[in-house]
Structure formats: C-alpha cells, structure tokens
Amino acid sequence: MEQRLANIWRMSVNEKKFIENALLSDHRVDGRRPFDYRRLSLKFGSDDGTAEVQLGQTHVMGFVTAQLVQPYRDRPNEGTFSIFTEFSPMADPSFEPGRPGEAAVELGRIIDRGLRESRAVDMESLCVLAGKLVWAIRVDLHILDNGGNLVDAANIAAVAALLTFRRPECSLGGEDTQSVIIHQPEVIDPTYKEEIIMGGRMTVTMNTNEDVCAIQKPGGQGVKQSEIMRCLRLASQKATDITDKIKKAVEAYDLERAQRKIRRHSSSSAQAACGADIKMSKQVVDVTQKKIDGFKIQSKDPMNQEEVESDTDLENSNTRGENNSFQQVDEIHGKMKSVNLFTGRPSSWHPYGKGITSLSTCTSSVALSAPRAMEAEKKDTVALERPNESKLEKPSVEATVDDSHTKEMSASVQQVNQKKSLKDAVKVKSRKKKKVASTMVGE
Amino acid sequence: MTDESSSHPNTLVDHWVAPGDVVLDLTNMANQTLKLGGGLRQECDAIIVTKAGRFKFSKPNKYWVESSQKRYVPCVEDTVLGIVVDSKADNFLVDIKGPTLGFLPVLAFEGGTRRNVPKFEIGTVLYLRVVKANTGMNPELSCTDATGKASEFGPIKDGYMFESSTGLARLLLSRPTCPVLDALGKKLSFEIAVGLNGRVWVNASSPSTVILVANAIMSAEFLSGAQQRILVEKLLQRVQ
C-alpha cells in the first residue's frame, strides 16, 4: 500500500494555485498562448501503417493491420474497422496493466466515433468477396508517454497510420479528422499538469470540410453556448493546420519509401546510363506497368539476370503509383553523366546528351529511370566492344509480357539478338532513333 | 590521454565511465586511504564502476561517479523538496521522489513539542534535510539542521515547483553560480529553492516572471555557459 503511495505522482498545492492564477491572466506554464498547440513531430516506421506521434512530451504510436474475415450478416460488402488502445504503465504511474480503465475506453470511443462518422475509411473498398471475405482493419494505439492531450495525439497517430497503410492490392486513405480539446479558462492541447487541474473538457472532431463529425463532453463544468461556437471555429482552424502537417509528413514518407526501393536497386547496378532518358522523356508521370516491361525487355545483355530481378521489384513499387522527386532524378542524372564519358557509340545514341537535360526537367517516376539506366549502361559497355549488338529494340508487342515471363523472354531475346546481323541491328536502331527523335522534338 | 590534469596519475578522472570499468588499481597505491563515493565499488585490488557517469576526484583522496537521473536515491545530509502525502500520529509521510516515502517525525521542527505539532495539508511543499537513508528502509527527514535550528527548512508557500533531473539540481547548486541563474538574476528578481532530488521551486512577483525563470532553468541543463546566457537573453527579449 505504501509502495503504491510512493509511486503516485502528486501535484503540490502551490503548483495547483499557481497554474490556475497564471491561466487567469492567460499565462501557460510552458510559455504557450492559450490556443497554441505544442510542436508536433510525426515519424513513420519501416512497415506500412505505423506512425509515431510526439506532441510535446506526449508520445503515441499507431499500428494498422488488416486481416481477412467474414463480414457482418447485415453488411455483406463492407469491411470492418476497430480501434484498440493500450495504456502502457510506462506512460503514467496511474496506468495499470490489464483491463483498460475508464480513460482508455473513452479515448478509444472518441477516436472510433471520429473516424467512423467522418467516413475516413471507405468500408466498401475493403470488400474482397461479397458475403464471404472482407478486410478487417485493426488500429492499435499504444500510449508510450502521457504528457497531456492523449486524445489529439492518438487521433493523429491513427490517421497518419491509416494514411500510410497499404492493403495488399491498393492504398487506403480518406478525409482527415482532428480532435480539439479545450478546457477552462479555455486552452487547447493541455499538458499533463493542466489536465490534472482542469474542471471540464470538450472534444470536437472535425474534418477538413468543416463538418463536425463528433463532439464529446464527459461531465465537468458547464460551457456557454457562445463558448461552444468559439470552440467549433477554433477546431476547424486547428483541424486544417494539423491535417496539413499530417499530409506533408505522409508525402515525405511516401517519397522516402520510394527512394529506399530505388536506391537499393541503383546501387546493385553498376552505373546509370543515358538510354533511360530517352524512354523517360516519353513517360508521363503515371506510367503503366506494361510499358515498363516492354522497355525492360528491349535491352537485354549477357549480364541480364540482376537487371531482371531488380526490374521486377521496381515494377512492384511502381504499381503503387508513387511520385518521385527531383532528388532521385538528380542522383541518376549524376550517375548518367559519368557513364556518358564512355559513349563511343554510333550516332543513334547521341541524343543521350539531350536526354540528360530532359531528365532534369521531367518528373517521371524513378522506377522507370533506374531500369532504363541499368539497361542503357549495359548497352554502353557492350557497345564499346561490339557496337552492333545489344540494341535490341523489341517492338511494343512485347510490352504485354509480365514479370513471370521476363526471364524466359530475356533468354530468348538474347538468342535472337545474337542471331541478328548487323543490318538488323541497324534497322532496329534507326526505328528507335526515329522514336527518340520524335520524343525529343515533342518535348 | 597521456597528459594528466591536476597532476593526477589516474587517466580516467573527468572522463565518462560505464559500469564494469576498472578505474583504480590498488596494487600501485600502497598505504593510501581512499574515500569512495557513489557509483564505485571495491573488488579485491581494483575499484570498479557501478553507475554510468563522469568519474570525479577531489583532493586529497575522494573519488566518485557523477550522473544525472530522474530518479533520486536518498543520501544522508541531502537537502530535498518533499510533498506531504499523509500525516500519521508520529510522523508525516513525505514524497521525496525516492523509491519509498520518507518519514518526517512530528517533532523534527525547531522548538517542536507534542503541544505545537504543525498541521500540513496534503500537497504542501516542504524543504527538508535527509537524516537517515539506508537501502530498503524509509528515509528519515527533518525540518531542522544538525544543530536543531530551523534555518530555512519547513513549509514553502506559493510559487511554482517543477521536477527535473538530479544533474540539473546539482548544476544549480554549484559554485561558482551557474550561468543561467547569473544571467536571470541580473535582470529579474525571483527566489528559488533547489532540492537535490531534482525538484526546483521558483517564486517571483508576477506569474510571467516565474514561468520565464522555470522554462529557462529547465532548458539549461545540457547547455554550455555561453549557450545558457544566449538562451536567457532571447527569452528576455521575447517578453519585452
């Protein structure tokens, strides 16, 4: 009993009086103004659908997982969505392991209602087989440190995790919602100490369209009507602010995710080369997988195997339709420059010089550029020895080949290459050259 | 490091050490008495570190390891800030951020008798001295100094108290005065009480001053002297 007494955190009488007096003159203990949020930092984990939110001292992690289950009888073509909160004892001495306390249940309810009412998750898209199999999305929120305002931090974590979660076939996303907690003399985003002394709290969940999705006011002091309206206005402001922050963080994460995949493959190939540029200039940002396949197969070299493997991976990443940044382009750009030195090639490849500049101006997906780069590089090296070979421009007929066939294709293509004579090679090259020319012109 | 500072033969003084490091070899130091402070243990002929931190030495023969933690381990003769948790017949139960509650005997006040037992409500802040501190037992506290005089011990009124690490508390109590307190003191008037258990109490005439001082102190733990002065300047500018 006494040990428990020792472990409880207490607030002294002096602190309580001081914080109350200071709040009367609009001074908050950490120097914030009454309607300022603490600094929000959003980090993502290595898996999709994991987010870590730090709001000042408060630290919450959100995990999203999906499982195939049978749907409810009365909703055969909708998936299910559930929130689980875990109040870890390391967050606060008053959190006990085991059954969730009142605060934990309330937190879970607020977030669940907010996300459900705002239709943040599209239930129908979770359906796999109507009446038989649907995805059950489960959001786990772990409270790691309680520094006050758990509801907001947990909500941000849930939304961010959902935004970065990828169902195996397609991505998940939706409107963003934000809860605002206000207490008298009315401040936003209370710290741990402010929460202890507050007399009442109100939580408003809004989405970016300024619709109120949910309001929660669990007892406590009464609030005047005018104050409620003020809180709603404030909530919509903060909701847009925080939604922006979340979106930026998620975008940065998506870029980084794509970069990670590209870098891995770029490093496996020796150097990037210019041939890719020509292809790239043709590409619109959202290139389809089929086109990529076609281009890949076109340039097969004796040292094909690595290429093929890495290409398939890149394809996979490309299917997600990720946008890539100039950074990646510049990286390949740099590599390509170095390769360009080796161009002792037939004139058909001269456009490489142009190709490089086009690279810097177009934001085509890096997934594309990397395979191009690798292929072109191989082409370059081979070209040094035998300028006739390896310009295996397969017509776009082969564009429809999918991953499983690439290796076989590459083998057959190689043979075909070797059988081809110089004339054939030249012909094919010229065809490509025309294509290239047209694209260059088209730019 | 080959050059010894302060002409001391031991190379690890003022360095960061980790548990398990052997810092002194007693075979080289015959006929010497050493005083070992916290964080050090003797094993046969070697002195081994048991706590991570900075290895310190003070003439003529005192060695100890200094580290900063949020936890406080009660030590005799430490001055701490405690919060009253409960009052019993014989003593008050006071929370001093240690593993157990401390006992403050009801008579441990200047001129304290059974007739004038002070009444503290739960949550009162007290400035206390640790009289006995043994592992496993509740530490005994007192509101008088060793001679029996009050000398600033006892309940503290108003102001604002916050918690931080033991390292910060030692920094605030060091001589010469820590730069952040120096810089703040030049421009503002305030009073502070520092407990070696990591609690600091601040009071001033206006709440904004108190908030400013509290935030400046909290951020100053790991800053160098110059950085601390710059921090204080910036905070003061913002207020004005």
Side-chain angles (χ1 to χ4, degrees), chain B residues 74-109:
Chain B
C75 272
V76 186
E77 290 308 319
D78 274 358
T79 51
V80 295
L81 281 170
I83 300 182
V84 176
V85 169
D86 200 4
S87 56
K88 297 272 169 70
D90 275 345
N91 41 33
F92 297 103
L93 297 182
V94 181
D95 163 39
I96 53 172
K97 265 181 92 173
T100 51
L101 296 173
F103 289 163
L104 171 65
V106 156
L107 303 174
F109 294 85

Tab-separated table of all heavy atoms in Angstrom, chain B residues 74-109:
chain	number	residue	atom	x	y	z
B	74	PRO	N	17.999	8.476	-1.932
B	74	PRO	CA	18.238	9.337	-0.760
B	74	PRO	C	19.621	9.123	-0.160
B	74	PRO	O	20.076	7.992	-0.013
B	74	PRO	CB	17.151	8.886	0.241
B	74	PRO	CG	16.111	8.222	-0.586
B	74	PRO	CD	16.817	7.631	-1.747
B	75	CYS	N	20.273	10.216	0.160
B	75	CYS	CA	21.593	10.187	0.787
B	75	CYS	C	21.553	11.043	2.025
B	75	CYS	O	20.863	12.060	2.047
B	75	CYS	CB	22.616	10.802	-0.163
B	75	CYS	SG	23.304	9.639	-1.270
B	76	VAL	N	22.336	10.668	3.019
B	76	VAL	CA	22.323	11.442	4.264
B	76	VAL	C	22.841	12.846	4.003
B	76	VAL	O	23.720	13.066	3.179
B	76	VAL	CB	23.206	10.749	5.317
B	76	VAL	CG1	23.095	11.457	6.646
B	76	VAL	CG2	22.802	9.303	5.468
B	77	GLU	N	22.256	13.810	4.698
B	77	GLU	CA	22.653	15.215	4.623
B	77	GLU	C	22.303	15.893	3.300
B	77	GLU	O	22.789	16.984	3.028
B	77	GLU	CB	24.166	15.405	4.882
B	77	GLU	CG	24.591	15.137	6.315
B	77	GLU	CD	23.773	15.907	7.348
B	77	GLU	OE1	23.469	17.096	7.121
B	77	GLU	OE2	23.417	15.301	8.369
B	78	ASP	N	21.466	15.289	2.497
B	78	ASP	CA	20.982	15.964	1.291
B	78	ASP	C	19.832	16.876	1.681
B	78	ASP	O	19.036	16.532	2.547
B	78	ASP	CB	20.440	14.945	0.288
B	78	ASP	CG	21.534	14.381	-0.585
B	78	ASP	OD1	22.698	14.813	-0.443
B	78	ASP	OD2	21.222	13.512	-1.402
B	79	THR	N	19.706	18.019	0.989
B	79	THR	CA	18.524	18.854	1.202
B	79	THR	C	17.585	18.621	0.027
B	79	THR	O	17.997	18.703	-1.127
B	79	THR	CB	18.903	20.335	1.244
B	79	THR	OG1	19.694	20.637	0.106
B	79	THR	CG2	19.676	20.658	2.500
B	80	VAL	N	16.355	18.305	0.340
B	80	VAL	CA	15.406	17.939	-0.711
B	80	VAL	C	14.101	18.687	-0.534
B	80	VAL	O	13.807	19.230	0.536
B	80	VAL	CB	15.101	16.419	-0.693
B	80	VAL	CG1	16.328	15.623	-1.033
B	80	VAL	CG2	14.538	16.009	0.652
B	81	LEU	N	13.314	18.711	-1.630
B	81	LEU	CA	11.968	19.277	-1.577
B	81	LEU	C	10.981	18.122	-1.573
B	81	LEU	O	11.008	17.286	-2.473
B	81	LEU	CB	11.724	20.151	-2.810
B	81	LEU	CG	12.330	21.537	-2.766
B	81	LEU	CD1	12.222	22.196	-4.121
B	81	LEU	CD2	11.617	22.397	-1.748
B	82	GLY	N	10.120	18.094	-0.588
B	82	GLY	CA	9.172	16.992	-0.498
B	82	GLY	C	7.739	17.483	-0.519
B	82	GLY	O	7.464	18.658	-0.240
B	83	ILE	N	6.834	16.573	-0.863
B	83	ILE	CA	5.409	16.896	-0.860
B	83	ILE	C	4.739	16.013	0.183
B	83	ILE	O	4.946	14.793	0.200
B	83	ILE	CB	4.793	16.622	-2.242
B	83	ILE	CG1	5.482	17.469	-3.299
B	83	ILE	CG2	3.315	16.941	-2.225
B	83	ILE	CD1	4.897	17.277	-4.670
B	84	VAL	N	3.926	16.600	1.030
B	84	VAL	CA	3.273	15.829	2.089
B	84	VAL	C	2.191	14.948	1.485
B	84	VAL	O	1.365	15.405	0.699
B	84	VAL	CB	2.638	16.774	3.130
B	84	VAL	CG1	1.880	15.972	4.175
B	84	VAL	CG2	3.716	17.605	3.789
B	85	VAL	N	2.240	13.690	1.855
B	85	VAL	CA	1.283	12.732	1.322
B	85	VAL	C	0.247	12.362	2.369
B	85	VAL	O	-0.918	12.182	2.071
B	85	VAL	CB	2.034	11.465	0.860
B	85	VAL	CG1	1.068	10.349	0.556
B	85	VAL	CG2	2.878	11.784	-0.349
B	86	ASP	N	0.695	12.246	3.599
B	86	ASP	CA	-0.214	11.793	4.629
B	86	ASP	C	0.367	12.195	5.986
B	86	ASP	O	1.564	12.436	6.101
B	86	ASP	CB	-0.354	10.268	4.552
B	86	ASP	CG	-1.607	9.787	5.238
B	86	ASP	OD1	-2.390	10.655	5.706
B	86	ASP	OD2	-1.810	8.567	5.321
B	87	SER	N	-0.486	12.262	6.988
B	87	SER	CA	0.056	12.538	8.324
B	87	SER	C	-0.417	11.455	9.279
B	87	SER	O	-1.591	11.103	9.303
B	87	SER	CB	-0.364	13.923	8.812
B	87	SER	OG	-1.761	14.049	8.802
B	88	LYS	N	0.540	10.919	9.988
B	88	LYS	CA	0.233	9.883	10.970
B	88	LYS	C	0.420	10.465	12.364
B	88	LYS	O	0.738	11.633	12.520
B	88	LYS	CB	1.199	8.697	10.770
B	88	LYS	CG	1.090	8.015	9.447
B	88	LYS	CD	0.050	6.924	9.524
B	88	LYS	CE	-0.314	6.354	8.203
B	88	LYS	NZ	0.774	5.554	7.635
B	89	ALA	N	0.286	9.607	13.343
B	89	ALA	CA	0.437	10.090	14.721
B	89	ALA	C	1.845	10.571	14.987
B	89	ALA	O	2.055	11.631	15.570
B	89	ALA	CB	0.064	8.975	15.690
B	90	ASP	N	2.801	9.782	14.538
B	90	ASP	CA	4.189	10.093	14.882
B	90	ASP	C	4.939	10.862	13.831
B	90	ASP	O	5.927	11.521	14.130
B	90	ASP	CB	4.973	8.790	15.085
B	90	ASP	CG	4.812	8.286	16.497
B	90	ASP	OD1	4.348	9.088	17.340
B	90	ASP	OD2	5.160	7.134	16.753
B	91	ASN	N	4.572	10.695	12.613
B	91	ASN	CA	5.325	11.383	11.558
B	91	ASN	C	4.445	11.649	10.345
B	91	ASN	O	3.349	11.097	10.216
B	91	ASN	CB	6.555	10.577	11.145
B	91	ASN	CG	6.259	9.093	11.048
B	91	ASN	OD1	5.150	8.705	10.698
B	91	ASN	ND2	7.240	8.276	11.384
B	92	PHE	N	4.979	12.522	9.522
B	92	PHE	CA	4.332	12.814	8.250
B	92	PHE	C	4.962	11.926	7.187
B	92	PHE	O	6.170	11.679	7.220
B	92	PHE	CB	4.562	14.275	7.845
B	92	PHE	CG	3.959	15.257	8.786
B	92	PHE	CD1	4.767	15.938	9.690
B	92	PHE	CD2	2.602	15.522	8.777
B	92	PHE	CE1	4.217	16.863	10.564
B	92	PHE	CE2	2.051	16.439	9.642
B	92	PHE	CZ	2.857	17.110	10.541
B	93	LEU	N	4.146	11.478	6.247
B	93	LEU	CA	4.696	10.743	5.113
B	93	LEU	C	4.938	11.754	4.001
B	93	LEU	O	4.018	12.481	3.618
B	93	LEU	CB	3.713	9.684	4.630
B	93	LEU	CG	3.373	8.587	5.640
B	93	LEU	CD1	2.438	7.581	5.003
B	93	LEU	CD2	4.610	7.890	6.134
B	94	VAL	N	6.164	11.791	3.561
B	94	VAL	CA	6.541	12.815	2.587
B	94	VAL	C	7.129	12.130	1.353
B	94	VAL	O	7.944	11.216	1.475
B	94	VAL	CB	7.592	13.775	3.198
B	94	VAL	CG1	7.967	14.841	2.193
B	94	VAL	CG2	7.054	14.403	4.468
B	95	ASP	N	6.718	12.594	0.188
B	95	ASP	CA	7.230	12.031	-1.058
B	95	ASP	C	8.452	12.834	-1.489
B	95	ASP	O	8.351	14.038	-1.724
B	95	ASP	CB	6.123	12.107	-2.119
B	95	ASP	CG	6.664	11.932	-3.509
B	95	ASP	OD1	7.562	11.093	-3.703
B	95	ASP	OD2	6.204	12.639	-4.420
B	96	ILE	N	9.612	12.158	-1.561
B	96	ILE	CA	10.807	12.878	-1.992
B	96	ILE	C	11.377	12.292	-3.281
B	96	ILE	O	12.574	12.382	-3.538
B	96	ILE	CB	11.897	12.881	-0.892
B	96	ILE	CG1	12.173	11.455	-0.429
B	96	ILE	CG2	11.486	13.750	0.270
B	96	ILE	CD1	13.361	11.392	0.509
B	97	LYS	N	10.523	11.690	-4.084
B	97	LYS	CA	10.949	11.144	-5.374
B	97	LYS	C	11.920	9.979	-5.229
B	97	LYS	O	12.674	9.682	-6.146
B	97	LYS	CB	11.633	12.223	-6.228
B	97	LYS	CG	10.684	12.910	-7.189
B	97	LYS	CD	11.415	13.935	-8.006
B	97	LYS	CE	11.923	13.349	-9.301
B	97	LYS	NZ	12.502	14.375	-10.173
B	98	GLY	N	11.933	9.362	-4.093
B	98	GLY	CA	12.811	8.218	-3.927
B	98	GLY	C	12.015	6.934	-4.088
B	98	GLY	O	10.833	6.965	-4.391
B	99	PRO	N	12.664	5.797	-3.874
B	99	PRO	CA	11.938	4.539	-4.017
B	99	PRO	C	10.847	4.370	-2.962
B	99	PRO	O	9.881	3.653	-3.192
B	99	PRO	CB	13.015	3.469	-3.868
B	99	PRO	CG	14.167	4.158	-3.244
B	99	PRO	CD	14.077	5.597	-3.583
B	100	THR	N	11.012	4.997	-1.809
B	100	THR	CA	9.978	4.897	-0.776
B	100	THR	C	9.671	6.274	-0.237
B	100	THR	O	10.441	7.215	-0.426
B	100	THR	CB	10.449	4.026	0.405
B	100	THR	OG1	11.721	4.513	0.834
B	100	THR	CG2	10.578	2.578	0.017
B	101	LEU	N	8.556	6.362	0.459
B	101	LEU	CA	8.214	7.636	1.089
B	101	LEU	C	9.146	7.896	2.265
B	101	LEU	O	9.644	6.969	2.889
B	101	LEU	CB	6.776	7.587	1.610
B	101	LEU	CG	5.684	7.418	0.563
B	101	LEU	CD1	4.354	7.225	1.255
B	101	LEU	CD2	5.631	8.615	-0.340
B	102	GLY	N	9.346	9.164	2.540
B	102	GLY	CA	10.179	9.499	3.689
B	102	GLY	C	9.304	9.792	4.910
B	102	GLY	O	8.162	10.216	4.777
B	103	PHE	N	9.887	9.540	6.084
B	103	PHE	CA	9.161	9.832	7.325
B	103	PHE	C	9.702	11.121	7.916
B	103	PHE	O	10.902	11.250	8.150
B	103	PHE	CB	9.376	8.703	8.343
B	103	PHE	CG	8.669	7.431	7.980
B	103	PHE	CD1	9.032	6.246	8.587
B	103	PHE	CD2	7.649	7.409	7.047
B	103	PHE	CE1	8.373	5.061	8.284
B	103	PHE	CE2	7.000	6.237	6.727
B	103	PHE	CZ	7.360	5.054	7.352
B	104	LEU	N	8.816	12.048	8.186
B	104	LEU	CA	9.232	13.287	8.840
B	104	LEU	C	8.629	13.288	10.239
B	104	LEU	O	7.416	13.452	10.402
B	104	LEU	CB	8.713	14.484	8.045
B	104	LEU	CG	8.864	15.856	8.697
B	104	LEU	CD1	10.314	16.226	8.858
B	104	LEU	CD2	8.157	16.898	7.846
B	105	PRO	N	9.448	13.064	11.253
B	105	PRO	CA	8.894	12.998	12.608
B	105	PRO	C	8.189	14.300	12.962
B	105	PRO	O	8.626	15.397	12.590
B	105	PRO	CB	10.105	12.776	13.507
B	105	PRO	CG	11.170	12.274	12.602
B	105	PRO	CD	10.893	12.867	11.252
B	106	VAL	N	7.112	14.146	13.683
B	106	VAL	CA	6.279	15.285	14.015
B	106	VAL	C	7.022	16.290	14.882
B	106	VAL	O	6.696	17.474	14.937
B	106	VAL	CB	5.013	14.737	14.727
B	106	VAL	CG1	4.385	15.761	15.596
B	106	VAL	CG2	4.055	14.227	13.702
B	107	LEU	N	8.053	15.830	15.562
B	107	LEU	CA	8.786	16.717	16.472
B	107	LEU	C	10.042	17.302	15.844
B	107	LEU	O	10.766	18.048	16.494
B	107	LEU	CB	9.206	15.932	17.721
B	107	LEU	CG	8.047	15.290	18.477
B	107	LEU	CD1	8.579	14.425	19.605
B	107	LEU	CD2	7.128	16.363	19.024
B	108	ALA	N	10.292	16.987	14.580
B	108	ALA	CA	11.564	17.405	13.974
B	108	ALA	C	11.498	18.831	13.472
B	108	ALA	O	11.814	19.119	12.327
B	108	ALA	CB	11.920	16.455	12.836
B	109	PHE	N	11.053	19.751	14.321
B	109	PHE	CA	10.982	21.168	13.949
B	109	PHE	C	11.645	21.956	15.059
B	109	PHE	O	11.757	21.490	16.191
B	109	PHE	CB	9.525	21.615	13.820
B	109	PHE	CG	8.805	20.941	12.690
B	109	PHE	CD1	8.227	19.708	12.880
B	109	PHE	CD2	8.739	21.528	11.445
B	109	PHE	CE1	7.579	19.066	11.841
B	109	PHE	CE2	8.082	20.906	10.411
B	109	PHE	CZ	7.505	19.671	10.599
